[in-house]
Amino acid sequence: EAGVAQSPRYKIIEKRQSVAFWCNPISGHATLYWYQQILGQGPKLLIQFQNNGVVDDSQLPKDRFSAERLKGVDSTLKIQPAKLEDSAVYLCASSLRGLSNEQFFGPGTRLTVL
Amino acid sequence: DQQVKQNSPSLSVQEGRISILNCDYTNSMFDYFLWYKKYPAEGPTFLISISSIKDKNEDGRFTVFLNKSAKHLSLHIVPSQPGDSAVYFCAASVPGFQKLVFGTGTRLLVSP
């Protein structure tokens, strides 16, 4: 079974630029999560999708971050414009039934904002 | 507001000995606790979990203990192996929301 795929793996941009990350969850997984992991901290949930609907986006900075999951499969997370404090690893996870103990994580995208 | 805390950023243990990783939480409403293991350049992988109605769960070399009155859980690895060297995250589940709140992680180094 293929795991959660993410691209790119690394991205370096300058502040005020835009960036987008892509995630392909495990086939058949209805629930998809985006996490932000800042160096020295644990992952923090940004947004959770159930199929193509948003379940929780309470911690998503909506003035600059946006996410979509068209057709309930792939998802993209966008930052526009980026700030220095957005430097982090962005992790995508998916779950078959939306249970917290069944989240499978992708390798993440490391973003550096200069 | 750090609801899940791992106060030890690192731990060094010799191969064959026991590793004990600790985690404290503040929200008594958490219903599930999980441990994830993370290698460099990889995403976290699920290791073991425990329901809030239990006090112990064992899976091979890994045992998680939960002390609800102290709002404390621990992960025991016996015997420790060099391949166990990784960052370990404690996480707690928010009931009804199915989302995880993570601690800051503990880096475990198991030396031969």
Side-chain angles (χ1 to χ4, degrees), chain A residues 9-10 33 35 37 40-43 45 48 56 58-59 91 98-101 103 105-107, chain B residues 31-32 34 36 38 41-46 49 89 93 97-105:
Chain A
R9 292 296 310 275
Y10 305 91
Y33 313 80
Y35 288 85
Q37 185 183 5
Q41 299 181 19
L45 181 69
Q48 176 183 345
D56 182 357
S58 58
Q59 297 194 88
L91 294 162
L99 298 180
S100 56
N101 61 339
Q103 291 187 27
F105 285 82
Chain B
D31 62 350
Y32 234 95
L34 305 90
Y36 279 81
K38 187 180 184 303
E42 295 183 13
T45 55
F46 170 73
S49 65
F89 290 98
S93 173
F97 293 92
Q98 302 301 340
K99 76 176 191 181
L100 295 176
V101 179
F102 283 84
T104 53

Side-chain angles (χ1 to χ4, degrees), chain A residues 1-16:
Chain A
E1 178 182 76
V4 177
Q6 290 187 248
S7 67
R9 292 296 310 275
Y10 305 91
K11 189 74 176 178
I12 300 174
I13 62 173
E14 300 204 343
K15 60 183 179 183
R16 291 188 289 274

